[in-house]
Amino acid sequence: MSVRIRFDGDEIAGRDGQTIAGVLLGAGRRSWRSAAGAERGVFCGIGVCQDCVVTVNGIENVRACQRTAHEGDIVEREAR
Amino acid sequence: MTRRVAILGAGPAGLAAADAALTAGAEVILLDEGERIGGQFWRHHEQLTDRRMQHQHARFAQLRRAVGAATVHCEASVWRVDADRGIRVHALLGPADASGREAITIDADALVIATGAHDRALPVPGWTLPGVITAGAAQALAKRDGATIGARTVVAGSGPFLLPVAEGIALAGGSVVEVVEAAGVGAIARGWGRAPWRLAAVAGKSGELAGYVGGLLRRRTPYRFGQAVTRIHGVGGVEAVTVQRVDARWRPIPGTDRTVECDSVALGHGFTPRLEAAIQAGCDLSTERFVVVDDRQATSVASVFAAGEITGIGGADAALAEGAVAGFAAAGGALDDRRIRGALRARTRMHAFAARLDTHAIRPGWTSWLDDDTIICRCESVTRARLDEYAAASSRAMRLATRAGLGACQGRTCGRTVETLTAAGVDFDRRPVLSSIRIGELARLHHAEHKEQE
């Protein structure tokens, strides 16, 4: 079973049920946000640090480590 | 009349509390922010979790069956708790950080707070590079997503929790290059070798730890003591770390550095209790900043009980025992009831184990591995040098000028470290809104309340 999301214009496949962070990591992506000009990705993995936030289907500041990926999700980078 | 018990957190402590409260005849409402019950310890996904990572699975299965008799709200962001005139819990239900989630209000006769803890990772130069995560993140990714942060991971920090983290990474298909423990061999021998009759009493625990060490040996993973990762190298991602020997105060010893190639680092130097709900409810804290509880796990506030890591870091077994006592007492049960005898005995046993964790407590010398430009507050990218400018200022002045601790995580990640590095007071744990919710959601609630009053 797989789930496909769009990120940075690419289609990325993950395993059904994975979080957005899990799907991105599985595809070899380790950063998906920038802060003060540097790249960031997942850090605490349990929804505490807010480092991994992305825009999902137009909604900003969604924690990638907490949100289960759904077929067709459009995931966008954020910059702070 | 049946007592209504609300429980915050469905990890080991909250689940045990729910089970015991139901046994004592209460109506139970259990709330957790996760998609499923289990907390960090039993974080799982039916298809993605390797069963070998589900420790004490039989106990979890039993608790899961038991809480079938409770009202369980998963994906619940509890954002406010009132305990001054009866118990009232405010939460939003829906997927993490979705907009327009459903608002619920729960009134109860008693409250059990079992909100647990999150990792404390000390800053290290280079720790904001992609590929650096907390030890708990490595564990969560392995358990929940069957994923790893990289192919070659250094696990570093302090405490026995590093061992299941290393095992989780290996089971999820990664490779652990080294496990680096800051406590020295001498400190560990003194801390864990003392009073061996007590260690025998926690035999279950030492057997589990021996199993992890056996796993490291099988995989030929070095387990280093008295050493620390003092620098993380890389451009755009982790490429290597510097490991140094540290003295008993965790000061790096010059001339002992080695470079270890890796593509990722998992850092865990202990845990920070998630105290905001207990603080909002008005519960007294100890000088060590845990929730003060009595024999019944009752806090200083009437009808409010606490269990698990917020009452002292002790691991899942202590949390299970404390949770059972808290839930039973919250439901009106008495401690001389034979049904709670087992939990009381287990609690005493596990507190002996917890006392040993002090061997791995953070020592003050670690700050000397920081550079001036090391980021301390990750949200606002505030460096050590910037904090130093306000080292003697009031907490408020320091925060307003630097913005340290005022970012999206509200000081959850950096708060304790900022307090160590400055003269800032101890108010980072005090948060008026308990979880991240959208301003639009708050505004809608406000609007709905006004309509009701009209």
Side-chain angles (χ1 to χ4, degrees):
Chain A
M1 291 294 282
S2 76
V3 59
R4 285 162 304 176
I5 63 173
R6 286 200 78 79
F7 173 72
D8 259 3
D10 296 331
E11 188 175 272
I12 294 180
R15 290 156 71 193
D16 208 11
Q18 280 185 314
T19 60
I20 288 172
V23 170
L24 291 173
L25 286 174
R29 310 282 181 126
R30 293 209 298 185
S31 63
W32 45 80
R33 188 174 80 85
S34 61
E39 287 290 291
R40 298 279 181 93
V42 68
F43 180 65
C44 82
I46 62 169
V48 172
C49 78
Q50 310 273 341
D51 239 355
C52 69
V53 294
V54 284
T55 297
V56 180
N57 303 327
I59 306 285
E60 292 179 359
N61 295 323
V62 175
R63 289 165 288 174
C65 73
Q66 296 296 290
R67 176 66 73 85
T68 297
H70 288 100
E71 186 69 23
D73 275 348
I74 296 169
V75 178
E76 296 168 89
R77 298 175 148 269
E78 291 189 11
R80 195 179 287 151
Chain B
M1 215 180 78
T2 307
R3 279 175 73 80
R4 262 168 84 91
V5 177
I7 300 171
L8 305 187
L15 288 171
D19 184 20
L22 289 163
T23 299
E27 178 193 351
V28 172
I29 302 109
L30 179 60
L31 300 110
D32 193 275
E33 67 184 351
E35 291 171 293
R36 286 166 290 278
I37 60 171
Q40 308 311 335
F41 185 69
W42 283 313
R43 182 178 280 264
H44 68 286
H45 182 279
E46 293 305 335
Q47 278 79 48
L48 300 171
T49 303
D50 185 324
R51 183 60 71 87
R52 290 172 293 177
M53 286 181 220
Q54 287 241 295
H55 300 292
Q56 301 189 45
H57 190 264
R59 179 80 162 113
F60 181 49
Q62 176 261 316
L63 289 168
R64 185 155 47 181
R65 279 193 303 276
V67 303
T71 302
V72 180
H73 293 295
C74 287
E75 295 194 312
S77 291
V78 172
W79 59 275
R80 184 163 183 87
V81 172
D82 297 316
D84 47 353
R85 282 167 297 167
I87 305 294
R88 179 165 277 195
V89 176
H90 301 267
L92 290 172
L93 301 183
D97 304 325
S99 61
R101 290 175 288 179
E102 179 197 351
I104 58 167
T105 304
I106 290 161
D107 291 316
D109 302 305
L111 178 69
V112 178
I113 305 178
T115 42
H118 59 76
D119 289 77
R120 169 116 187 247
L122 295 177
V124 180
W127 76 314
T128 55
L129 283 170
V132 182
I133 58 175
T134 69
Q139 189 74 326
L141 288 167
K143 286 182 176 177
R144 160 72 180 79
D145 285 294
T148 61
I149 184 71
R152 289 170 54 77
T153 308
V154 169
V155 176
S158 60
F161 177 59
L162 298 180
L163 296 172
V165 168
E167 173 161 289
I169 291 169
L171 290 174
S175 167
V176 177
V177 186
E178 293 193 12
V179 178
V180 183
E181 160 70 57
V185 169
I188 288 173
R190 279 191 303 278
W192 291 87
R194 196 181 51 209
W197 60 92
R198 285 209 199 137
L199 195 61
V202 294
K205 205 73 202 167
S206 55
E208 183 189 326
L209 294 174
Y212 296 135
V213 174
L216 291 181
L217 287 173
R218 268 199 315 284
R219 299 184 182 99
R220 300 176 191 281
T221 306
Y223 190 8
R224 317 277 191 198
F225 298 97
Q227 301 187 22
V229 166
T230 55
R231 186 172 297 275
I232 302 170
H233 311 271
V235 179
V238 176
E239 291 165 18
V241 295
T242 297
V243 177
Q244 271 182 283
R245 292 183 42 181
V246 294
D247 65 18
R249 289 168 55 79
W250 292 20
R251 267 182 92 85
I253 299 170
T256 63
D257 31 323
R258 326 181 259 123
T259 303
V260 178
E261 287 185 14
C262 57
D263 65 9
S264 44
V265 183
L267 294 175
H269 300 89
F271 297 91
T272 304
R274 303 177 77 162
L275 294 170
E276 51 270 83
I279 290 173
Q280 191 163 81
C283 302
D284 283 348
L285 304 185
S286 64
T287 48
E288 295 80 26
R289 288 163 76 197
F290 291 104
V291 179
V292 176
V293 290
D294 66 10
D295 274 0
R296 304 160 59 236
Q297 300 290 136
T299 70
S300 59
V301 179
S303 305
V304 178
F305 299 76
E309 308 295 56
I310 59 167
T311 64
I313 302 303
D317 296 280
L320 283 163
E322 292 160 0
V325 174
F328 201 74
L335 289 199
D336 57 5
D337 191 307
R338 60 175 179 77
R339 290 174 294 179
I340 205 64
R341 223 177 277 161
L344 289 169
R345 271 201 303 269
R347 186 176 63 177
T348 305
R349 234 177 13 247
M350 292 323 301
H351 284 177
F353 169 78
R356 288 159 195 278
L357 294 175
D358 198 45
T359 305
H360 304 273
I362 294 168
R363 309 290 179 216
W366 72 270
T367 57
S368 55
W369 71 52
L370 296 173
D371 289 338
D372 281 350
D373 65 354
T374 305
I375 286 173
I376 305 298
C377 167
R378 299 173 62 98
C379 293
E380 298 292 321
S381 300
V382 183
T383 62
R384 196 254 166 98
R386 182 83 177 124
L387 282 178
D388 281 350
E389 291 173 37
Y390 293 86
S394 73
S395 169
R396 186 180 156 78
M398 179 276 295
R399 283 193 278 186
L400 288 178
T402 68
R403 292 204 47 81
L406 296 182
C409 91
Q410 292 285 291
R412 287 177 173 89
T413 309
C414 72
R416 302 256 161 143
T417 297
V418 171
E419 288 165 9
T420 303
L421 296 174
T422 64
V426 290
D427 50 2
F428 273 96
D429 295 321
R430 195 171 296 279
R431 300 182 179 99
V433 180
L434 300 177
S435 54
S436 61
I437 65 173
R438 292 177 189 280
I439 287 173
E441 289 175 314
L442 259 186
R444 261 196 304 282
L445 292 174
H446 181 73
H447 184 69
E449 258 174 42
H450 272 259
K451 275 205 132 156
E452 227 167 74
Q453 283 162 12
E454 275 168 17

